[in-house]
Amino acid sequence: MTTTAGDLLTVDNLTVEFPTDDGVVRAVRGVSFTLRQGEVLGVVGESGSGKSVSSMAVMGLLPRSARIGGSIRFRDTEIVGLGQRQLEKLRGNDIAMIFQDPMTSLNPVYTVGWQLSEAYRAHHKVSKKVAWAKAVEALELVGIPQPDRRAAQFPHEFSGGMRQRVVIAMAIINDPTLIIADEPTTALDVTVQAQVLETLLRIRDETSAAIMIITHDLGVVAGMADRVQVMYGGTVVESGQVDAVFERPRMPYTVGLLGSIPHPDLLGKRLTPIKGAPPSLMNLPPGCAFAPRCPLAGPECDEAEPELVTVGVSGHTSRCLKWDELGGGDDSRDLFEHEEIGSVENPASLTQADPELAVVEDAAEVEQRMAREEGSTP
Amino acid sequence: MTTAKTSPSDTAPAGADTGQPLLEVNDLVKSFPVRGKGIIPRTVGQVQAVAGISFDLRAGETLGLVGESGCGKSTTGRAILQLHRPTSGSVRFEGRELVGQTARQLRAVRRDMQIVFQDPYASLNPRWTVNSVVREPLEIHHSSWGDKRIQSKVNNLLELVGLNPEHRNRFPHEFSGGQRQRIGIARALALEPKLLVLDEPVSALDVSVQAGVVNLLEELQQRLNLAYLFVAHDLSIVRHISHRIAVMYLGKIVEIGTRDEVYGRATHPYTQALLSAAPLPDPKAERERQRIVLTGDVPSPVNPPSGCRFRTRCWKAQDICASEEPKLEARGEDGHLSACHFPEVRPRES
Amino acid sequence: MADTVTKTTPDDPDTTPRAGHEFDTEARKQWKIVLRRFLRHRMAMISLSVLVLIVLAAIVLPWFLQYDHTYTGGGRYEDPGPDHPLGTDNLGRDMLAMLVRGTQFSLLIAVVVAAMATVIGVTLGAVAGLLGGWVDTLFMRLVDLWLIIPQLALVALAASAFGSSWYLVAIALGLFSWMSVARINRGLTLSLANQEFVEAARAMGASNTRIVVKHILPNLTGVITVNATLAVATAVLAEAALSFIGLGVNIPDTSLGLIINNNYAQLELRPWLFWAPFLVIVLISLTVNFIGDGIRDAFDPKQTKVRA
């Protein structure tokens, strides 16, 4: 991947592994992407897809036990292998992170203003008074009413949505050029979520910071992101401009994901969910990670993991051998259509331990087999 | 408090008769004591988690109960099942009053109304095999059946919800979240109930498996003519599965109507704000639409605002909203019920 | 963290049905799994063997020893030798015989104390947690009250009033060691009673008795067992401390604490007289703690969590 002007963050072939007692967890495999100034990248995926781990790697927040490979370049600095001290310089100054739970990001024994000004003073040599003024300014920027009064209050005096805004204020107080938001609205109610997302976008407009938003909510991505990156089984399976990916998904997983979300256009129709459970990151299938659950999968999909190939304009890529069989829209969703009653799933632990095991079987077959077994063991 | 009786709607299920509703809830109140601190905690006040709500539900019908956290929607579900004893009001199931009945008297009704919980991790005893979990209701209510009959029923139930009965002797933690939720559904269906309270049944699940559970619930409803009280905060899923929808805010129903009425012609500002805030997985629609971004958060239910409970966040609020509580009654053109002094259909793009 | 996957350790290859085509009719009983996990816990297994050796020695050794604890025919402070492997004390008693006898009593006291603490604690805790309301308030205030009573003074008082045979010491200690068990069990019962699976059982029409027996107690067994083992360890130490300051067991009974009390003045001249009983106390308390750890791990059905 070549670096061009305006590229803020370049991640190349990032790999993260965690050795555990039971084997190596391959949390992230071969992830590459770039992020430009003022761009919003949405990273979507389900639990265990590696989306959070890759963002923690960018922040240098992974535990020591993690084995990190590949390269993460922020401007001209290589982050992989950087020492703690240099990382701390980057964190909170150039790169800021917003976590899911606002309460754990704030210290309950200090006032909000104190915490904000400390965050500012950690990277700027200014007097406490100047830092406090900066704190009030940041609170105002995230839309907290009466910021001068609120700055003197403690975190528990703020409601959930307000707290998350304080966390955002903390993130932006040093004018970061990159904001990483990991499920920033998952813990919030819908109406509050709208407020927080709006705040984030306004900050992007005012400071032209790049935002990497990690979420499982495709609706949030659709509303916020310029580009989207879909992750599954620890790697990127599709990426591209939001419109292209949502309108003409070229990876069966994305198709299934989009078909799983109720949408006004789907009223009265069946949703098209994906059968089975995501793979175990310790025991990935030999070929495409999605193959065991994929309605299009053929024997060639089990041979080797497909490469990420360009499938459309402006960098639309997909990790699927059969991407051109997906016409896009409703036709491809029909692939996933099935009746829920009449087929049975095997337990997740079994299908993860043995990727070859059938995820779904016909209930009638299972019944016959059980009758046979019962007959043979009197 | 007006009784929320809606006329049979265009989206009502085919099987629904016009006779007696399966479930009638009238002016249901559930309050919890607020305890003070001290050596011997004293009750210093009451929180009305559910502050007088009324609705009814017919066989084979789904009523979606939506609202944000703390609005009392989950408490409503539990109060109907008498898991939380209602403070006042009436809950009638097939014409029979449940409020005030003893545990023994309720036992027979328990067969007909069951609950599926939000958290598939917490709702299954981690020490029990799937088999024991699904057997339990049968052992309680049909102890005379004998092992063989109970076992074949369990196998059928597991198959019905899409689980391989060959693996019934495994423990819940060996299953994925969606599969665990199916175990919970199998357990709830074991007694062949007529009403299922579904308390956020999919919100703890990954997106791709949520839809499977939603489809399963729809198929089960068609096959078994079940009535669902679908409690959720996810508006798009509620819209997909419900025939009628009730919107709750701070313990009260602010609007109730058929799916098309509530989603297409909402007259209560809170409903409108809720609908406009829910993100859609459609970049074009997201860019075009106008969001109503509410200011502030939900007030504490310990000390709710006077008059209309939504007025502190409402852009239409006038003096009357503080002094007089708007009744839930037919307002607007189509006559579905709404509790706002200034009901008005917002011109919307979809 | 969204990306947390709960994963289970793969079971032994021989017990896991490899494919879904196996009809595992035999229910895998919970206790079998717990036992298997416990047997794999290395520290717990080492500790268990050491503890078993100590217990066996305390029971079996008197049959083979040349002298028993009543013997006073040795010389005063004889050095260890073939006749007296650990020497003799100031009264000419065989130290090894005394040590065995002391271990017997210390273990006996510890088991009685642990049993009392568990029975009183679990009963009060579970009742308080399940019934809640004023019963809960009453019981928990009782615990608070019990905790602030100066135990040592009371035990000393009891000792002077009723004498200090081993079972009186055990009962006195037992009466003052159930409070933490009660608190833990009350808390757990409280949270279990609010768990959705208990609520589900209620919704099914299960009776209170069924809920306690089938849902709450089985989920408490792990904690109860762990706490009981830890209570044993604490009781060994408490008895030793009590006897050391002269408020515990007295002649004709004996205990490890009493032996230390009798011999600590010899620490410099004849260190074995002090270190031998000390070592036994430490070994018992340490091994019991490790066994408790092993049991706790074995009972945890969710096992390890790994972030991915």
Side-chain angles (χ1 to χ4, degrees):
Chain A
M1 199 160 285
T2 49
T3 315
T4 53
D7 279 356
L8 195 62
L9 181 74
T10 311
V11 173
D12 194 19
N13 203 19
L14 177 71
T15 307
V16 181
E17 293 180 347
F18 296 99
T20 68
D21 295 346
D22 307 309
V24 177
V25 177
R26 302 173 68 196
V28 177
R29 295 173 295 126
V31 168
S32 306
F33 63 90
T34 55
L35 191 54
R36 286 188 199 85
Q37 219 159 33
E39 190 178 34
V40 181
L41 172 70
V43 182
V44 285
E46 299 175 271
S47 343
S49 62
K51 60 186 195 300
S52 282
V53 175
S54 51
S55 67
M56 307 258 286
V58 174
M59 284 292 281
L61 285 176
L62 289 175
R64 264 164 209 279
S65 64
R67 290 203 296 252
I68 307 169
S71 133
I72 304 169
R73 292 190 74 77
F74 177 74
R75 289 220 179 98
D76 297 318
T77 320
E78 174 63 51
I79 291 180
V80 174
L82 212 58
Q84 270 306 316
R85 178 139 324 159
Q86 288 138 304
L87 271 175
E88 269 160 27
K89 224 171 179 177
L90 273 179
R91 272 205 298 260
N93 196 19
D94 295 314
I95 310 177
M97 191 144 185
I98 300 166
F99 293 100
Q100 180 175 347
D101 185 357
M103 209 51 206
T104 55
S105 319
L106 295 171
N107 189 332
V109 301
Y110 294 113
T111 63
V112 160
W114 189 91
Q115 297 186 52
L116 282 168
S117 38
E118 276 306 299
Y120 188 65
R121 276 157 57 84
H123 296 279
H124 297 86
K125 284 204 164 81
V126 293
S127 73
K128 283 191 177 167
K129 210 167 182 183
V130 174
W132 187 273
K134 181 78 189 169
V136 173
E137 193 185 302
L139 287 176
E140 192 167 13
L141 192 64
V142 294
I144 289 181
Q146 296 176 280
D148 42 345
R149 195 177 62 83
R150 297 292 263 176
Q153 291 184 334
F154 290 91
H156 66 87
E157 297 177 74
F158 287 71
S159 63
M162 283 291 170
R163 252 180 242 145
Q164 193 59 297
R165 284 190 216 195
V166 172
V167 172
I168 296 175
M170 186 111 83
I172 59 156
I173 195 162
N174 290 312
D175 297 319
T177 38
L178 171 62
I179 300 173
I180 299 175
D182 189 353
E183 305 267 5
T185 57
T186 309
L188 305 175
D189 278 323
V190 193
T191 56
V192 182
Q193 165 173 296
Q195 299 167 6
V196 169
L197 293 182
E198 195 138 293
T199 308
L200 270 177
L201 279 184
R202 214 184 58 237
I203 280 155
R204 193 269 313 255
D205 292 341
E206 283 174 26
T207 66
S208 80
I211 298 179
M212 183 171 158
I213 182 163
I214 295 125
T215 178
H216 67 276
D217 190 334
L218 288 162
V220 169
V221 171
M224 270 200 73
D226 305 315
R227 277 195 306 131
V228 59
Q229 180 176 309
V230 183
M231 292 194 70
Y232 184 81
T235 192
V236 178
V237 293
E238 180 162 12
S239 77
Q241 299 294 322
V242 169
D243 289 21
V245 173
F246 276 72
E247 264 169 43
R248 287 175 301 281
R250 296 294 196 170
M251 165 76 198
Y253 175 65
T254 319
V255 175
L257 212 52
L258 286 167
S260 302
I261 309 166
H263 190 275
D265 297 346
L266 292 174
L267 281 182
K269 287 188 209 161
R270 255 308 127 72
L271 300 174
T272 51
I274 309 168
K275 274 280 184 187
S280 155
L281 294 174
M282 259 191 297
N283 187 20
L284 287 160
C288 170
F290 186 60
R293 301 170 73 190
C294 182
L296 273 181
E300 64 272 35
C301 298
D302 290 328
E303 276 163 22
E305 178 144 52
E307 293 292 316
L308 208 53
V309 289
T310 304
V311 295
V313 286
S314 56
H316 189 177
T317 55
S318 160
R319 200 183 286 278
C320 181
L321 296 173
K322 305 188 166 184
W323 62 271
D324 53 350
E325 290 178 33
L326 294 165
D330 289 342
D331 306 341
S332 41
R333 270 174 209 173
D334 292 345
L335 282 174
F336 284 87
E337 211 152 80
H338 61 263
E339 294 290 316
E340 287 293 334
I341 298 176
S343 64
V344 295
E345 279 183 32
N346 283 320
S349 67
L350 280 186
T351 55
Q352 287 178 345
D354 180 7
E356 314 250 308
L357 182 66
V359 173
V360 185
E361 284 182 282
D362 198 46
E365 273 172 39
V366 172
E367 253 175 43
Q368 281 173 7
R369 195 164 65 227
M370 283 172 70
R372 267 205 311 278
E373 295 272 354
E374 215 150 80
S376 63
T377 48
Chain B
M1 195 86 241
T2 323
T3 320
K5 297 261 185 344
T6 45
S7 53
S9 65
D10 44 335
T11 46
D17 48 70
T18 46
Q20 190 187 37
L22 188 68
L23 178 76
E24 296 162 272
V25 177
N26 257 306
D27 209 11
L28 183 72
V29 175
K30 173 65 195 173
S31 45
F32 292 101
V34 182
R35 291 255 163 82
K37 285 181 181 150
I39 294 179
I40 296 163
R42 249 185 320 200
T43 305
V44 294
Q46 298 280 330
V47 193
Q48 283 203 345
V50 179
I53 66 169
S54 310
F55 60 84
D56 51 42
L57 184 59
R58 289 168 190 284
E61 185 188 32
T62 303
L63 176 71
L65 201 55
V66 289
E68 295 177 279
S69 52
C71 73
K73 54 188 192 301
S74 290
T75 312
T76 304
R78 283 168 167 76
I80 287 168
L81 295 180
Q82 310 297 310
L83 287 173
H84 291 167
R85 293 307 181 99
T87 311
S88 68
S90 133
V91 176
R92 286 175 169 273
F93 185 81
E94 293 185 314
R96 189 178 149 192
E97 179 62 53
L98 303 185
V99 176
Q101 299 239 306
T102 63
R104 193 175 293 270
Q105 287 168 317
L106 285 171
R107 231 178 98 104
V109 192
R110 295 241 180 263
R111 292 183 198 181
D112 290 332
M113 32 200 276
Q114 280 294 315
I115 180 164
V116 175
F117 294 93
Q118 169 177 15
D119 187 349
Y121 296 76
S123 61
L124 304 174
N125 189 334
R127 309 214 174 278
W128 285 22
T129 61
V130 169
N131 197 41
S132 326
V133 167
V134 182
R135 273 182 83 106
E136 187 176 28
L138 297 166
E139 282 173 358
I140 292 173
H141 287 272
H142 301 298
S143 47
S144 62
W145 274 14
D147 185 65
K148 203 151 197 180
R149 184 164 170 207
I150 289 183
Q151 195 54 57
S152 83
K153 174 84 183 168
V154 169
N155 290 357
N156 287 341
L157 282 165
L158 288 175
E159 227 169 71
L160 184 67
V161 299
L163 290 171
N164 191 336
E166 285 173 305
H167 302 296
R168 56 174 187 250
N169 288 322
R170 293 183 170 269
F171 288 91
H173 67 87
E174 298 184 63
F175 292 80
S176 69
Q179 290 171 337
R180 265 181 278 220
Q181 198 56 291
R182 287 163 189 265
I183 299 168
I185 293 172
R187 172 178 62 188
L189 289 177
L191 298 172
E192 296 170 8
K194 295 172 180 148
L195 166 69
L196 273 192
V197 173
L198 303 161
D199 186 8
E200 303 261 15
V202 296
S203 59
L205 306 178
D206 269 328
V207 182
S208 73
V209 291
Q210 275 187 0
V213 175
V214 168
N215 281 356
L216 174 67
L217 288 170
E218 284 188 324
E219 282 175 35
L220 289 170
Q221 179 167 54
Q222 279 162 15
R223 186 182 278 207
L224 307 170
N225 198 31
L226 294 164
Y228 289 154
L229 181 66
F230 193 95
V231 178
H233 69 274
D234 187 322
L235 290 148
S236 46
I237 286 179
V238 170
R239 181 178 198 174
H240 191 87
I241 200 169
S242 307
H243 302 108
R244 285 193 302 135
I245 285 133
V247 182
M248 279 186 82
Y249 185 79
L250 266 183
K252 289 198 177 284
I253 292 180
V254 296
E255 185 157 10
I256 184 168
T258 64
R259 173 167 70 195
D260 294 346
E261 285 164 351
V262 171
Y263 279 82
R265 302 185 292 278
T267 58
H268 197 285
Y270 178 65
T271 314
Q272 292 167 355
L274 211 56
L275 290 175
S276 88
L280 288 174
D282 182 344
K284 283 216 178 89
E286 280 288 306
R287 269 194 295 271
E288 280 162 12
R289 73 176 170 161
Q290 287 291 309
R291 278 221 175 95
I292 304 172
V293 176
L294 291 178
T295 50
D297 284 287
V298 185
S300 156
V302 182
N303 190 15
S306 66
C308 172
R309 294 185 167 205
F310 182 59
R311 71 177 163 84
T312 51
R313 298 170 79 195
C314 184
W315 63 96
K316 287 183 183 171
Q318 307 277 329
D319 291 345
I320 186 179
C321 301
S323 57
E324 193 182 314
E325 186 179 331
K327 286 200 172 75
L328 183 66
E329 57 191 25
R331 297 175 200 254
E333 285 152 32
D334 58 15
H336 74 271
L337 310 187
S338 163
C340 180
H341 290 302
F342 306 102
E344 192 181 12
V345 177
R346 178 175 173 242
R348 270 159 42 91
E349 52 272 77
S350 60
Chain C
M1 183 64 32
D3 282 8
T4 304
V5 288
T6 312
K7 65 139 189 76
T8 51
T9 326
D11 287 329
D12 288 341
D14 52 331
T15 56
T16 310
R18 202 200 67 85
H21 309 305
E22 202 161 319
F23 190 52
D24 46 351
T25 34
E26 196 202 340
R28 294 189 298 163
K29 288 271 189 265
Q30 177 73 22
W31 67 265
K32 268 191 191 162
I33 293 169
V34 170
L35 187 69
R36 200 173 63 214
R37 287 206 209 113
F38 181 72
L39 291 177
R40 271 202 228 135
H41 200 284
R42 194 181 302 155
M43 269 325 273
M45 287 318 292
I46 294 172
S47 299
L48 188 65
S49 347
V50 173
L51 188 68
V52 166
L53 276 180
I54 294 175
V55 173
L56 275 182
I59 296 168
V60 176
L61 224 48
W63 303 66
F64 300 100
L65 286 179
Q66 199 176 345
Y67 307 100
D68 72 355
H69 63 282
T70 54
Y71 166 85
T72 50
R76 182 180 149 87
Y77 290 132
E78 272 181 41
D79 279 349
D83 209 25
H84 302 289
L86 282 172
T88 60
D89 66 2
N90 59 337
L91 298 176
R93 291 178 293 192
D94 179 52
M95 194 56 194
L96 185 61
M98 292 302 289
L99 198 63
V100 168
R101 178 84 172 160
T103 309
Q104 280 177 11
F105 275 103
S106 283
L107 283 172
L108 209 57
I109 291 171
V111 168
V112 172
V113 172
M116 278 180 73
T118 305
V119 170
I120 303 176
V122 171
T123 314
L124 289 189
V127 168
L130 200 69
L131 298 183
W134 65 268
V135 179
D136 182 28
T137 313
L138 185 77
F139 282 15
M140 286 305 109
R141 292 302 84 81
L142 191 70
V143 168
D144 293 343
L145 192 69
W146 222 250
L147 279 170
I148 54 165
I149 290 177
Q151 323 181 13
L152 271 185
L154 270 198
V155 174
L157 211 67
S160 62
F162 305 110
S164 48
S165 46
W166 70 269
Y167 56 87
L168 284 174
V169 173
I171 291 172
L173 279 172
L175 283 177
F176 284 101
S177 52
W178 54 270
M179 289 84 78
S180 65
V181 180
R183 277 203 171 150
I184 292 168
N185 278 289
R186 179 225 174 219
L188 283 171
T189 310
L190 208 61
S191 77
L192 279 173
N194 287 323
Q195 289 256 315
E196 288 185 340
F197 66 84
V198 173
E199 220 171 340
R202 286 226 174 88
M204 268 167 231
S207 62
N208 264 339
T209 327
R210 188 184 167 94
I211 288 173
V212 173
V213 175
K214 292 252 175 183
H215 289 284
I216 297 200
L217 280 184
N219 276 290
L220 287 179
T221 43
V223 179
I224 293 173
T225 326
V226 172
N227 275 298
T229 52
L230 297 184
V232 169
T234 323
V236 169
L237 294 177
E239 178 278 320
L242 217 53
S243 300
F244 179 74
I245 57 173
L247 294 177
V249 179
N250 255 320
I251 297 168
D253 297 337
T254 188
S255 78
L256 292 171
L258 192 62
I259 296 174
I260 294 185
N261 179 26
N262 288 339
N263 294 303
Y264 75 99
Q266 303 299 320
L267 179 59
E268 308 241 309
L269 273 172
R270 301 175 185 85
W272 58 90
L273 290 183
F274 171 81
W275 288 111
F278 182 84
L279 191 72
V280 177
I281 292 178
V282 170
L283 269 182
I284 293 176
S285 139
L286 207 64
T287 51
V288 171
N289 267 309
F290 278 128
I291 293 169
D293 273 359
I295 297 174
R296 182 174 47 216
D297 291 351
F299 265 106
D300 184 5
K302 289 183 279 292
Q303 301 178 331
T304 43
K305 275 196 162 185
V306 165
R307 273 200 4 197

